Amino acid sequence: MTLAKLNQQDLKGMDQRGRVKLINSVVGYKSANLIGTVDSKGQENLSIVSSVIHLGSSPALIGFISRPHSVERHTLENIITGGYYTINAVSADIAQQAHQTSARYDKRQSEFDMVGLTAEYDDDFPAPFVLQSPLKMGMKLVERITIATNQTELVIGEIDRIWLAKKAVMPDGYVDVESLQLVTISGLDSYHTTERLHRLSYAKPDTLVYPLTLEGDPSSWLAFEKQK
């Protein structure tokens, strides 16, 4: 395999659009999610992101990156003012509609309506979920960090509630996202389905890892189920 070597000078000399596509691609596969929000007037908003990350389990924290707030950012502004939002995983059957939400619609236009997805509400939770998503989380904003180097915003939320298919939850609590036919993103516009290699055992210094069954170690999740 022949490798191309690019130094910082090469990167700075590239066409801007080409550089953006390259740098967004080299980090590999990223999860595809739709962020659902609503403003104080009831105007709904939906936007696709590929930067959702796990930040901790106790409390259950999830983060995502928003571009700089130097211009109007409907999603970010709705989260700041309302304090609640949803994260909805993108499955293969709605990937094209999800991608279309990246278009710059006017604030008065709901991306739900413009791309043909359905807003769904749950009891007292104020932000809209995506009906067609098989895995969705209701989030409460807990922290917003402006990254000094490039002014992007790290939005950190705590999980308030989760909706997902029971069939996807393994006995040990692992969520089999592949069974939900979720897609990943590479770069800015390439969508992929996945194929699991295997689940592996907990790594210990004195023991080689070994493949697990899909169900894994059932003890932790089964104990939780018995408590309900």
Side-chain angles (χ1 to χ4, degrees):
M1 179 186 297
T2 301
L3 301 181
K5 180 180 179 180
L6 299 172
N7 58 31
Q8 195 172 66
Q9 185 176 356
D10 295 326
L11 295 174
K12 290 181 177 179
M14 289 180 64
D15 169 76
Q16 182 180 5
R17 290 189 176 183
R19 182 172 63 250
V20 167
K21 290 182 178 180
L22 176 70
I23 300 303
N24 270 277
S25 300
V26 294
V27 296
Y29 300 119
K30 301 162 288 185
S31 63
N33 292 279
L34 289 161
I35 306 295
T37 61
V38 64
D39 68 14
S40 59
K41 298 179 180 179
Q43 179 62 54
E44 296 166 341
N45 179 265
L46 190 65
S47 62
I48 190 166
V49 299
S50 60
S51 58
V52 170
I53 53 173
H54 164 266
L55 293 176
S57 299
S58 184
L61 300 180
I62 303 291
F64 77 93
I65 297 293
S66 174
R67 286 182 290 179
H69 198 197
S70 54
V71 299
E72 191 175 45
R73 303 285 183 202
H74 303 156
T75 294
L76 180 61
E77 290 161 8
N78 289 350
I79 292 174
I80 293 171
T81 57
Y84 290 89
Y85 56 103
T86 66
I87 299 177
N88 307 267
V90 176
S91 53
D93 57 346
I94 62 170
Q96 291 191 32
Q97 293 155 291
H99 185 75
Q100 182 63 33
T101 66
S102 62
R104 296 182 180 179
Y105 291 107
D106 186 271
K107 183 173 175 58
R108 294 167 294 181
Q109 296 175 301
S110 166
E111 286 82 0
F112 284 98
D113 296 334
M114 302 308 295
V115 307
L117 293 174
T118 306
E120 178 182 31
Y121 287 86
D122 180 37
D123 298 331
D124 59 341
F125 196 80
F129 294 85
V130 177
L131 175 65
Q132 293 86 348
S133 172
L135 170 57
K136 35 205 168 190
M137 297 175 283
M139 307 296 300
K140 180 180 179 180
L141 176 67
V142 295
E143 191 171 355
R144 169 189 164 208
I145 300 171
T146 301
I147 298 174
T149 305
N150 63 359
Q151 299 302 300
T152 55
E153 305 269 358
L154 172 59
V155 179
I156 301 173
E158 182 173 0
I159 298 176
D160 181 87
R161 61 197 68 189
I162 302 175
W163 285 5
L164 76 166
K166 287 185 177 181
K167 70 174 185 179
V169 183
M170 296 298 102
D172 67 346
Y174 166 74
V175 177
D176 178 18
V177 295
E178 192 166 294
S179 70
L180 301 178
Q181 298 184 314
L182 302 188
V183 298
T184 65
I185 300 177
S186 65
L188 297 171
D189 53 19
S190 185
Y191 292 79
H192 310 259
T193 56
T194 65
E195 181 179 352
R196 180 186 301 102
L197 292 177
H198 36 230
R199 293 189 66 186
L200 294 174
S201 62
Y202 186 82
K204 300 178 181 179
D206 57 349
T207 306
L208 292 178
V209 296
Y210 53 87
L212 298 174
T213 65
L214 179 59
E215 289 75 17
D217 175 10
S219 57
S220 57
W221 179 256
L222 288 179
F224 167 75
E225 285 284 282
K226 290 179 181 178
Q227 293 174 10
K228 295 196 302 181

